[in-house]
Amino acid sequence: MRERSLYRIGAVSAIVGSILAGAVNLLHPRTPHIDRVEAFLPLVAGSAAWVGIHVGILFAVLLWTGALLAVWRSLGTEPGAAWAELGLAGALVSAAIGLVWMAADGIAMKVVADAWASAAAAEKAVAFRDGFVLAKVNIAIFTVWDICFFGVTFILYGLAVATSGAYPKWLGWVAMLAGIGSALVGLNLAYQGPSHLVLNILFPIFSIILTVWVFVMGVLLWRRAGAA
């Protein structure tokens, strides 16, 4: 009975979290000049939904973390359970990093951008410097979060699913490939910095694939709860 409840809670967390993640991904404002702070600050200042979108991302990440816990438990003593346990550790560490990024990019960045937008001409340069520094720090935190969560965590969960008989093995390969792609995106950010191709095209592609993956795992978890 306890396992069934955990599977159902995990299934709901996966499905609701995936729908929420997909919605905020579509709503998140983007600029083709993502590498230029002078284009990024007006984007943030002009977005009334900036904080709300990041709060949505925060809840999606927390829901996904609960879902990944249920997936790990659902493997039981399957050969892939050890990989999933390592993946869960990665998810927990990533959730902590993600919360820091949400606070910095979702809340602090909005305050700084609004202060820059409303600053007097004589104070504009100082306000811009504050925004420049915070934007670079945010990219650094996001880079680490992307590598740990979308990269390492899903690579490990992909290995877990692919080496167990609890779920279709092709789902494991999908998670691994998308996780490797996400990790490469993070490494590119670390060495080359933000670009339109990496942040506005490649990252959304891999994150959408993983969003669908979590949704499908949620459906399978619900069915597993019924079987239990």
Side-chain angles (χ1 to χ4, degrees):
M1 182 64 71
R2 181 181 177 185
E3 293 298 304
R4 179 184 297 175
S5 298
L6 177 62
Y7 297 165
R8 284 181 174 166
I9 293 171
V12 172
S13 296
I15 294 169
V16 174
S18 296
I19 293 172
L20 181 59
V24 294
N25 200 355
L26 290 173
L27 292 173
H28 196 294
R30 289 181 172 85
T31 171
H33 307 294
I34 191 67
D35 57 326
R36 294 167 51 191
V37 178
E38 58 268 29
F40 181 64
L41 283 177
L43 178 76
V44 178
S47 174
W50 186 264
V51 174
I53 288 170
H54 285 77
V55 170
I57 298 173
L58 185 153
F59 278 108
V61 169
L62 293 177
L63 287 168
W64 276 19
T65 303
L68 291 174
L69 168 64
V71 171
W72 163 62
R73 286 293 295 272
S74 71
L75 294 176
T77 57
E78 292 282 349
W83 290 114
E85 191 166 0
L86 291 174
L88 178 62
L92 294 173
V93 171
S94 300
I97 298 171
L99 294 180
V100 174
W101 177 65
M102 304 305 166
D105 191 56
I107 300 174
M109 193 72 238
K110 178 63 174 171
V111 173
V112 171
D114 287 347
W116 168 81
S118 61
E123 301 173 350
K124 211 78 169 176
V126 175
F128 177 82
R129 193 178 305 120
D130 292 340
F132 180 88
V133 172
L134 183 56
K136 297 304 178 182
V137 171
N138 286 345
I139 284 293
I141 299 173
F142 174 80
T143 297
V144 175
W145 180 60
D146 175 58
I147 293 172
C148 290
F149 187 58
F150 289 101
V152 174
T153 296
F154 282 97
I155 291 172
L156 291 170
Y157 267 91
L159 281 168
V161 173
T163 56
S164 72
Y167 299 100
K169 293 185 183 298
W170 64 268
L171 281 172
W173 290 108
V174 168
M176 273 191 286
L177 292 174
I180 291 170
S182 297
L184 291 175
V185 163
L187 290 173
N188 184 274
L189 282 172
Y191 284 98
Q192 302 296 328
S195 67
H196 173 66
L197 172 64
V198 171
L199 279 182
N200 290 348
I201 298 176
L202 294 180
F203 174 73
I205 288 173
F206 292 125
S207 63
I208 288 171
I209 291 172
L210 291 173
T211 298
V212 175
W213 187 87
V214 175
F215 183 92
V216 172
M217 292 301 293
V219 173
L220 295 177
L221 268 175
W222 185 267
R223 293 177 179 175
R224 198 173 181 87

